[in-house]
Structure formats: C-alpha cells, structure tokens
Amino acid sequence: MKTIGLIGGMSWKSSIEYYRIVNEKIQNILGESASCKSLMYSVNFAEVEKLQLNDEWGKLNRLMANAAKKLYNGGADIIVLCTNTMHLCSNAIQDAVPIPFLHIADATGEKVAEKELKKVGLLGAKFTMQKDFYKNILKEKYAVETIIPNLEDQEEIHRIIYNELVLGKITSASKEKCISIIHRLQKNEAEGIILGCTEIPLLISQEDVKLPIFDTMTIHAEKAVEIATKS
C-alpha cells in the first residue's frame, strides 16, 4: 500500500471526512482490521481565506507547495489536496514534489464520463465557479461542458460555504436554497451536478435531487485509495 499525503485544513470539517473515507475504503478493500497509510498536513484556513480574498495567489502557491514538500519528506507517495478551490495552486504543488499529485477535477471527470454526461452544473466557491481551472480539465480531457449558476446564486453559494459550512453550520434554509439553484441549472440543461466544494456534500446529497450528483470529496478520496492500493 502506498502512503497518501493529505493537504488538509480547508476546512478541517471536510478534512475529517477525507480521513474517514480513505480509511473506510481501505477497510472495504483489504479487510476489517486494515487502515490507510496516510499523512496529513493541515494549514490554517483563516490565513488561506485572507489570502484568497486579497487575491494573493503567489503566496498561496508557496503555502501549498510547502505543505506538499512536508508530506513528501514525511514519506508520502501521492499528494491529495483536500479542497476544490485551492487546486488553483495545483501546478505549484506538482512542481514542488517528484511524486504524483491527484487533481480533483480528473477524478471527478472520470466519474462524469462513466455516466456519459455531456453537460453538468458546477457548484462551489466563487473562485471555482468563475475561473477556468476546473472547467478546462472537464472540457479538454473528458469532453464535458460545464455551466455555472447566475451571479446572484454564485454569491449565495459562496456565502453558505464561507459563513456556514466551514464553521460546521448546517441549516435547512441553506439546503433549500442550494436545491433551488440546482433546479435552475437543470432548466439550463444540466444533466448532472458537480458539488465542487468539499463542504457542500455536508449539506446536499443524492437523496435531495433527481439529477446525478457528483460528490467531489468522496470521488477524490476513493480515487486516491484506488491508486494507493495498485501494485
């Protein structure tokens, strides 16, 4: 089994879920007493959030690269970044270490392509929805078109993530707002919905909507285990 290096803390609520998922998946594959060989380096999300809001992506690149180096020096064989938005720093991470970096959009794109969907809606932080780093991978590598909510809905999703979900606040009102946004994306011909923030699956699940839901956190974590258990 290879050792998975997890860059966590963005937020720690979803980092806990990554740790749970990789261990449950290993247990399912290898038996009841098995657990995942892993390391986690957790950053201070308050620092990350401030740098995001100030558009200081150079500093964020260095922060993520440093986290990857610490995991590599600790014995990690693969790097997994436990957040969607910070994959804006994926090139800096991959350049910092000589081991594979598993991009969350690649893991997700594979699952979307398996269902033969051609157009999906993307929910996430404003950075994820508005920038092209996620959408380009889905389009160029998996022939999947991505549509995003209108600006008002983007602001609402971003608010729910940063003011509620990263703080562990789960409300029925916010769940209903997200479901309404998904319905609007469906009217715009979305065939499925990517939950492109690792906190959103804490609020929305497949039981809540009829369209296929792609929980990027679970998809990403399980793909890491698949790679870690290959001989």
Side-chain angles (χ1 to χ4, degrees), residues 126 153-165 171 173-174 177:
K126 283 192 296 185
D153 286 345
Q154 288 179 36
E155 291 289 346
E156 183 61 15
I157 295 168
H158 191 85
R159 183 197 66 78
I160 290 169
I161 293 168
Y162 280 79
N163 294 356
E164 297 179 10
L165 299 182
T171 70
S174 290
K177 287 177 182 176

Side-chain angles (χ1 to χ4, degrees), residues 7-21 40 42-43 45 82-83 160-170 197-203 217:
I7 304 177
M10 300 167 282
S11 68
W12 65 263
K13 302 288 185 182
S14 59
S15 299
I16 289 173
E17 293 301 304
Y18 265 88
Y19 187 73
R20 176 186 62 79
I21 293 165
M40 180 176 286
S42 188
V43 302
F45 186 61
C82 303
T83 168
I160 290 169
I161 293 168
Y162 280 79
N163 294 356
E164 297 179 10
L165 299 182
V166 300
L167 303 177
K169 297 178 181 178
I170 309 295
C197 169
T198 50
E199 276 74 38
I200 296 180
L202 304 176
L203 183 67
M217 175 172 59

Side-chain angles (χ1 to χ4, degrees), residues 53-101:
L53 293 175
N54 291 335
D55 205 29
E56 296 188 75
W57 290 95
K59 290 182 179 180
L60 287 165
N61 279 334
R62 291 191 288 275
L63 183 65
M64 294 298 102
N66 182 60
K69 289 176 183 177
K70 289 180 181 295
L71 291 169
Y72 171 66
N73 291 335
D77 299 304
I78 177 176
I79 300 294
V80 173
L81 179 57
C82 303
T83 168
N84 280 269
T85 293
M86 292 307 294
H87 277 73
L88 279 161
C89 301
S90 58
N91 289 337
I93 293 170
Q94 186 62 85
D95 290 345
V97 292
I99 56 176
F101 170 70

